PDB file of all heavy atoms in Angstrom:
ATOM      1  N   PHE A  88      -2.790 -11.582  -6.791  1.00 89.00           N
ATOM      2  CA  PHE A  88      -2.460 -11.334  -5.376  1.00 89.00           C
ATOM      3  C   PHE A  88      -2.495  -9.850  -5.069  1.00 89.00           C
ATOM      4  O   PHE A  88      -1.958  -9.047  -5.833  1.00 89.00           O
ATOM      5  CB  PHE A  88      -1.044 -11.878  -5.102  1.00 89.00           C
ATOM      6  CG  PHE A  88      -0.646 -11.708  -3.616  1.00 89.00           C
ATOM      7  CD1 PHE A  88      -1.149 -12.525  -2.631  1.00 89.00           C
ATOM      8  CD2 PHE A  88       0.217 -10.625  -3.241  1.00 89.00           C
ATOM      9  CE1 PHE A  88      -0.817 -12.366  -1.308  1.00 89.00           C
ATOM     10  CE2 PHE A  88       0.563 -10.534  -1.951  1.00 89.00           C
ATOM     11  CZ  PHE A  88       0.053 -11.319  -0.920  1.00 89.00           C
ATOM     12  N   PRO A  89      -3.183  -9.473  -3.981  1.00 87.00           N
ATOM     13  CA  PRO A  89      -3.250  -8.050  -3.619  1.00 87.00           C
ATOM     14  C   PRO A  89      -1.888  -7.550  -3.132  1.00 87.00           C
ATOM     15  O   PRO A  89      -1.494  -7.694  -2.025  1.00 87.00           O
ATOM     16  CB  PRO A  89      -4.297  -7.963  -2.528  1.00 87.00           C
ATOM     17  CG  PRO A  89      -4.253  -9.367  -1.908  1.00 87.00           C
ATOM     18  CD  PRO A  89      -3.884 -10.306  -2.989  1.00 87.00           C
ATOM     19  N   SER A 117       1.399  -2.754   2.103  1.00 90.00           N
ATOM     20  CA  SER A 117       1.910  -3.892   1.324  1.00 90.00           C
ATOM     21  C   SER A 117       1.936  -5.154   2.164  1.00 90.00           C
ATOM     22  O   SER A 117       2.536  -5.198   3.218  1.00 90.00           O
ATOM     23  CB  SER A 117       3.327  -3.576   0.901  1.00 90.00           C
ATOM     24  OG  SER A 117       4.017  -4.732   0.419  1.00 90.00           O
ATOM     25  N   TYR A 118       1.223  -6.198   1.657  1.00 88.00           N
ATOM     26  CA  TYR A 118       1.262  -7.501   2.319  1.00 88.00           C
ATOM     27  C   TYR A 118       2.701  -8.049   2.320  1.00 88.00           C
ATOM     28  O   TYR A 118       3.128  -8.675   3.302  1.00 88.00           O
ATOM     29  CB  TYR A 118       0.381  -8.473   1.509  1.00 88.00           C
ATOM     30  CG  TYR A 118      -1.076  -8.479   1.925  1.00 88.00           C
ATOM     31  CD1 TYR A 118      -2.008  -7.893   1.036  1.00 88.00           C
ATOM     32  CD2 TYR A 118      -1.541  -9.103   3.058  1.00 88.00           C
ATOM     33  CE1 TYR A 118      -3.396  -7.894   1.372  1.00 88.00           C
ATOM     34  CE2 TYR A 118      -2.894  -9.088   3.405  1.00 88.00           C
ATOM     35  CZ  TYR A 118      -3.770  -8.495   2.489  1.00 88.00           C
ATOM     36  OH  TYR A 118      -5.143  -8.478   2.857  1.00 88.00           O
ATOM     37  N   LEU A 119       3.414  -7.890   1.225  1.00 93.00           N
ATOM     38  CA  LEU A 119       4.743  -8.438   1.111  1.00 93.00           C
ATOM     39  C   LEU A 119       5.759  -7.741   2.096  1.00 93.00           C
ATOM     40  O   LEU A 119       6.622  -8.422   2.602  1.00 93.00           O
ATOM     41  CB  LEU A 119       5.259  -8.305  -0.332  1.00 93.00           C
ATOM     42  CG  LEU A 119       6.545  -9.105  -0.657  1.00 93.00           C
ATOM     43  CD1 LEU A 119       6.400 -10.546  -0.306  1.00 93.00           C
ATOM     44  CD2 LEU A 119       6.862  -8.939  -2.167  1.00 93.00           C
ATOM     45  N   ARG A 120       5.535  -6.441   2.317  1.00 93.00           N
ATOM     46  CA  ARG A 120       6.314  -5.789   3.361  1.00 93.00           C
ATOM     47  C   ARG A 120       6.027  -6.437   4.732  1.00 93.00           C
ATOM     48  O   ARG A 120       6.976  -6.570   5.546  1.00 93.00           O
ATOM     49  CB  ARG A 120       6.053  -4.270   3.366  1.00 93.00           C
ATOM     50  CG  ARG A 120       6.974  -3.567   4.367  1.00 93.00           C
ATOM     51  CD  ARG A 120       6.836  -2.068   4.291  1.00 93.00           C
ATOM     52  NE  ARG A 120       5.512  -1.546   4.650  1.00 93.00           N
ATOM     53  CZ  ARG A 120       5.284  -0.255   4.900  1.00 93.00           C
ATOM     54  NH1 ARG A 120       6.257   0.667   4.891  1.00 93.00           N
ATOM     55  NH2 ARG A 120       4.024   0.149   5.156  1.00 93.00           N
ATOM     56  N   ASP A 121       4.746  -6.708   5.006  1.00 90.00           N
ATOM     57  CA  ASP A 121       4.450  -7.341   6.267  1.00 90.00           C
ATOM     58  C   ASP A 121       5.152  -8.726   6.355  1.00 90.00           C
ATOM     59  O   ASP A 121       5.620  -9.075   7.449  1.00 90.00           O
ATOM     60  CB  ASP A 121       2.929  -7.641   6.338  1.00 90.00           C
ATOM     61  CG  ASP A 121       2.149  -6.421   6.892  1.00 90.00           C
ATOM     62  OD1 ASP A 121       2.791  -5.516   7.437  1.00 90.00           O
ATOM     63  OD2 ASP A 121       0.918  -6.446   6.755  1.00 90.00           O
ATOM     64  N   TYR A 122       5.234  -9.431   5.278  1.00 93.00           N
ATOM     65  CA  TYR A 122       5.941 -10.752   5.244  1.00 93.00           C
ATOM     66  C   TYR A 122       7.396 -10.500   5.576  1.00 93.00           C
ATOM     67  O   TYR A 122       7.995 -11.240   6.394  1.00 93.00           O
ATOM     68  CB  TYR A 122       5.791 -11.364   3.830  1.00 93.00           C
ATOM     69  CG  TYR A 122       6.723 -12.519   3.597  1.00 93.00           C
ATOM     70  CD1 TYR A 122       6.533 -13.769   4.256  1.00 93.00           C
ATOM     71  CD2 TYR A 122       7.784 -12.403   2.691  1.00 93.00           C
ATOM     72  CE1 TYR A 122       7.407 -14.799   3.995  1.00 93.00           C
ATOM     73  CE2 TYR A 122       8.647 -13.467   2.475  1.00 93.00           C
ATOM     74  CZ  TYR A 122       8.472 -14.642   3.149  1.00 93.00           C
ATOM     75  OH  TYR A 122       9.364 -15.698   2.951  1.00 93.00           O
ATOM     76  N   ASP A 123       8.014  -9.503   4.959  1.00 95.00           N
ATOM     77  CA  ASP A 123       9.458  -9.261   5.195  1.00 95.00           C
ATOM     78  C   ASP A 123       9.717  -8.900   6.661  1.00 95.00           C
ATOM     79  O   ASP A 123      10.619  -9.418   7.292  1.00 95.00           O
ATOM     80  CB  ASP A 123       9.943  -8.178   4.296  1.00 95.00           C
ATOM     81  CG  ASP A 123      10.246  -8.657   2.926  1.00 95.00           C
ATOM     82  OD1 ASP A 123      10.493  -9.838   2.696  1.00 95.00           O
ATOM     83  OD2 ASP A 123      10.197  -7.797   1.933  1.00 95.00           O
ATOM     84  N   VAL A 126       7.630 -11.725   9.279  1.00 93.00           N
ATOM     85  CA  VAL A 126       7.927 -13.165   9.209  1.00 93.00           C
ATOM     86  C   VAL A 126       9.418 -13.397   8.988  1.00 93.00           C
ATOM     87  O   VAL A 126      10.042 -14.057   9.745  1.00 93.00           O
ATOM     88  CB  VAL A 126       7.071 -13.846   8.066  1.00 93.00           C
ATOM     89  CG1 VAL A 126       7.438 -15.320   7.907  1.00 93.00           C
ATOM     90  CG2 VAL A 126       5.596 -13.638   8.355  1.00 93.00           C
ATOM     91  N   ILE A 298       1.384  -9.374  11.636  1.00 83.00           N
ATOM     92  CA  ILE A 298       1.862 -10.731  11.602  1.00 83.00           C
ATOM     93  C   ILE A 298       1.010 -11.671  10.832  1.00 83.00           C
ATOM     94  O   ILE A 298       1.459 -12.437   9.935  1.00 83.00           O
ATOM     95  CB  ILE A 298       2.096 -11.204  13.096  1.00 83.00           C
ATOM     96  CG1 ILE A 298       3.070 -10.355  13.803  1.00 83.00           C
ATOM     97  CG2 ILE A 298       2.539 -12.687  13.076  1.00 83.00           C
ATOM     98  CD1 ILE A 298       3.117 -10.623  15.353  1.00 83.00           C
ATOM     99  N   ALA A 299      -0.269 -11.582  11.066  1.00 82.00           N
ATOM    100  CA  ALA A 299      -1.244 -12.454  10.348  1.00 82.00           C
ATOM    101  C   ALA A 299      -1.223 -12.187   8.866  1.00 82.00           C
ATOM    102  O   ALA A 299      -1.256 -13.148   8.081  1.00 82.00           O
ATOM    103  CB  ALA A 299      -2.658 -12.184  10.904  1.00 82.00           C
ATOM    104  N   GLN A 300      -1.075 -10.918   8.468  1.00 84.00           N
ATOM    105  CA  GLN A 300      -1.051 -10.587   7.059  1.00 84.00           C
ATOM    106  C   GLN A 300       0.225 -10.972   6.387  1.00 84.00           C
ATOM    107  O   GLN A 300       0.320 -11.212   5.134  1.00 84.00           O
ATOM    108  CB  GLN A 300      -1.482  -9.205   6.863  1.00 84.00           C
ATOM    109  CG  GLN A 300      -2.970  -8.989   7.309  1.00 84.00           C
ATOM    110  CD  GLN A 300      -3.494  -7.593   7.267  1.00 84.00           C
ATOM    111  OE1 GLN A 300      -4.661  -7.378   7.373  1.00 84.00           O
ATOM    112  NE2 GLN A 300      -2.634  -6.630   7.233  1.00 84.00           N
ATOM    113  N   GLY A 301       1.345 -10.894   7.137  1.00 88.00           N
ATOM    114  CA  GLY A 301       2.581 -11.362   6.631  1.00 88.00           C
ATOM    115  C   GLY A 301       2.578 -12.882   6.320  1.00 88.00           C
ATOM    116  O   GLY A 301       3.098 -13.356   5.264  1.00 88.00           O
ATOM    117  N   LYS A 302       1.903 -13.665   7.225  1.00 91.00           N
ATOM    118  CA  LYS A 302       1.716 -15.093   6.938  1.00 91.00           C
ATOM    119  C   LYS A 302       0.791 -15.321   5.755  1.00 91.00           C
ATOM    120  O   LYS A 302       1.004 -16.339   5.066  1.00 91.00           O
ATOM    121  CB  LYS A 302       1.263 -15.747   8.185  1.00 91.00           C
ATOM    122  CG  LYS A 302       2.321 -15.721   9.332  1.00 91.00           C
ATOM    123  CD  LYS A 302       1.805 -16.443  10.602  1.00 91.00           C
ATOM    124  CE  LYS A 302       2.914 -16.428  11.652  1.00 91.00           C
ATOM    125  NZ  LYS A 302       2.434 -17.036  12.955  1.00 91.00           N
ATOM    126  N   PHE A 303      -0.158 -14.445   5.581  1.00 89.00           N
ATOM    127  CA  PHE A 303      -1.058 -14.582   4.449  1.00 89.00           C
ATOM    128  C   PHE A 303      -0.225 -14.440   3.107  1.00 89.00           C
ATOM    129  O   PHE A 303      -0.436 -15.254   2.176  1.00 89.00           O
ATOM    130  CB  PHE A 303      -2.132 -13.473   4.491  1.00 89.00           C
ATOM    131  CG  PHE A 303      -2.971 -13.402   3.257  1.00 89.00           C
ATOM    132  CD1 PHE A 303      -4.098 -14.221   3.166  1.00 89.00           C
ATOM    133  CD2 PHE A 303      -2.685 -12.524   2.255  1.00 89.00           C
ATOM    134  CE1 PHE A 303      -4.917 -14.116   1.987  1.00 89.00           C
ATOM    135  CE2 PHE A 303      -3.451 -12.416   1.082  1.00 89.00           C
ATOM    136  CZ  PHE A 303      -4.579 -13.208   0.979  1.00 89.00           C
ATOM    137  N   ALA A 304       0.620 -13.486   3.051  1.00 92.00           N
ATOM    138  CA  ALA A 304       1.482 -13.347   1.878  1.00 92.00           C
ATOM    139  C   ALA A 304       2.417 -14.489   1.682  1.00 92.00           C
ATOM    140  O   ALA A 304       2.624 -14.952   0.550  1.00 92.00           O
ATOM    141  CB  ALA A 304       2.362 -12.031   2.078  1.00 92.00           C
ATOM    142  N   GLN A 305       2.934 -15.079   2.787  1.00 93.00           N
ATOM    143  CA  GLN A 305       3.769 -16.264   2.655  1.00 93.00           C
ATOM    144  C   GLN A 305       3.007 -17.411   2.049  1.00 93.00           C
ATOM    145  O   GLN A 305       3.506 -18.102   1.153  1.00 93.00           O
ATOM    146  CB  GLN A 305       4.330 -16.599   4.076  1.00 93.00           C
ATOM    147  CG  GLN A 305       5.242 -17.794   4.101  1.00 93.00           C
ATOM    148  CD  GLN A 305       5.700 -18.110   5.497  1.00 93.00           C
ATOM    149  OE1 GLN A 305       4.961 -17.931   6.486  1.00 93.00           O
ATOM    150  NE2 GLN A 305       6.924 -18.576   5.651  1.00 93.00           N
ATOM    151  N   GLN A 306       1.807 -17.587   2.554  1.00 92.00           N
ATOM    152  CA  GLN A 306       1.026 -18.807   2.078  1.00 92.00           C
ATOM    153  C   GLN A 306       0.478 -18.657   0.736  1.00 92.00           C
ATOM    154  O   GLN A 306       0.468 -19.656  -0.042  1.00 92.00           O
ATOM    155  CB  GLN A 306      -0.174 -18.977   3.083  1.00 92.00           C
ATOM    156  CG  GLN A 306      -1.088 -20.151   2.749  1.00 92.00           C
ATOM    157  CD  GLN A 306      -2.210 -20.275   3.746  1.00 92.00           C
ATOM    158  OE1 GLN A 306      -2.333 -19.619   4.762  1.00 92.00           O
ATOM    159  NE2 GLN A 306      -3.186 -21.171   3.432  1.00 92.00           N
ATOM    160  N   HIS A 307       0.028 -17.443   0.358  1.00 90.00           N
ATOM    161  CA  HIS A 307      -0.681 -17.258  -0.926  1.00 90.00           C
ATOM    162  C   HIS A 307       0.147 -16.699  -2.063  1.00 90.00           C
ATOM    163  O   HIS A 307      -0.336 -16.684  -3.205  1.00 90.00           O
ATOM    164  CB  HIS A 307      -1.936 -16.444  -0.734  1.00 90.00           C
ATOM    165  CG  HIS A 307      -2.929 -17.068   0.233  1.00 90.00           C
ATOM    166  ND1 HIS A 307      -3.827 -18.026  -0.226  1.00 90.00           N
ATOM    167  CD2 HIS A 307      -3.203 -16.883   1.539  1.00 90.00           C
ATOM    168  CE1 HIS A 307      -4.610 -18.431   0.791  1.00 90.00           C
ATOM    169  NE2 HIS A 307      -4.275 -17.729   1.884  1.00 90.00           N
ATOM    170  N   PHE A 308       1.320 -16.182  -1.759  1.00 92.00           N
ATOM    171  CA  PHE A 308       2.155 -15.622  -2.806  1.00 92.00           C
ATOM    172  C   PHE A 308       3.562 -16.155  -2.834  1.00 92.00           C
ATOM    173  O   PHE A 308       4.027 -16.612  -3.898  1.00 92.00           O
ATOM    174  CB  PHE A 308       2.166 -14.058  -2.603  1.00 92.00           C
ATOM    175  CG  PHE A 308       2.868 -13.330  -3.710  1.00 92.00           C
ATOM    176  CD1 PHE A 308       2.338 -13.324  -5.013  1.00 92.00           C
ATOM    177  CD2 PHE A 308       4.028 -12.643  -3.486  1.00 92.00           C
ATOM    178  CE1 PHE A 308       3.006 -12.675  -6.051  1.00 92.00           C
ATOM    179  CE2 PHE A 308       4.665 -11.952  -4.504  1.00 92.00           C
ATOM    180  CZ  PHE A 308       4.140 -11.960  -5.802  1.00 92.00           C
ATOM    181  N   ILE A 309       4.264 -16.120  -1.737  1.00 93.00           N
ATOM    182  CA  ILE A 309       5.641 -16.550  -1.705  1.00 93.00           C
ATOM    183  C   ILE A 309       5.807 -18.046  -1.965  1.00 93.00           C
ATOM    184  O   ILE A 309       6.482 -18.517  -2.836  1.00 93.00           O
ATOM    185  CB  ILE A 309       6.325 -16.174  -0.386  1.00 93.00           C
ATOM    186  CG1 ILE A 309       6.329 -14.643  -0.243  1.00 93.00           C
ATOM    187  CG2 ILE A 309       7.746 -16.784  -0.360  1.00 93.00           C
ATOM    188  CD1 ILE A 309       7.151 -13.904  -1.282  1.00 93.00           C
ATOM    189  N   GLN A 310       5.099 -18.853  -1.146  1.00 92.00           N
ATOM    190  CA  GLN A 310       5.285 -20.317  -1.257  1.00 92.00           C
ATOM    191  C   GLN A 310       4.825 -20.854  -2.656  1.00 92.00           C
ATOM    192  O   GLN A 310       5.536 -21.657  -3.238  1.00 92.00           O
ATOM    193  CB  GLN A 310       4.538 -21.019  -0.132  1.00 92.00           C
ATOM    194  CG  GLN A 310       5.174 -20.763   1.203  1.00 92.00           C
ATOM    195  CD  GLN A 310       4.465 -21.450   2.382  1.00 92.00           C
ATOM    196  OE1 GLN A 310       3.251 -21.774   2.224  1.00 92.00           O
ATOM    197  NE2 GLN A 310       5.131 -21.541   3.493  1.00 92.00           N
ATOM    198  N   PRO A 311       3.641 -20.444  -3.175  1.00 89.00           N
ATOM    199  CA  PRO A 311       3.247 -21.005  -4.472  1.00 89.00           C
ATOM    200  C   PRO A 311       4.140 -20.616  -5.646  1.00 89.00           C
ATOM    201  O   PRO A 311       4.217 -21.319  -6.701  1.00 89.00           O
ATOM    202  CB  PRO A 311       1.853 -20.465  -4.691  1.00 89.00           C
ATOM    203  CG  PRO A 311       1.395 -20.039  -3.329  1.00 89.00           C
ATOM    204  CD  PRO A 311       2.619 -19.615  -2.637  1.00 89.00           C
TER     205      PRO A 311
END
Side-chain angles (χ1 to χ4, degrees):
F88 181 76
S117 165
Y118 276 106
L119 192 52
R120 183 173 63 164
D121 276 345
Y122 167 71
D123 281 336
V126 178
I298 299 172
Q300 292 175 167
K302 292 179 178 179
F303 173 85
Q305 181 180 34
Q306 179 182 352
H307 295 281
F308 186 65
I309 296 297
Q310 290 177 344

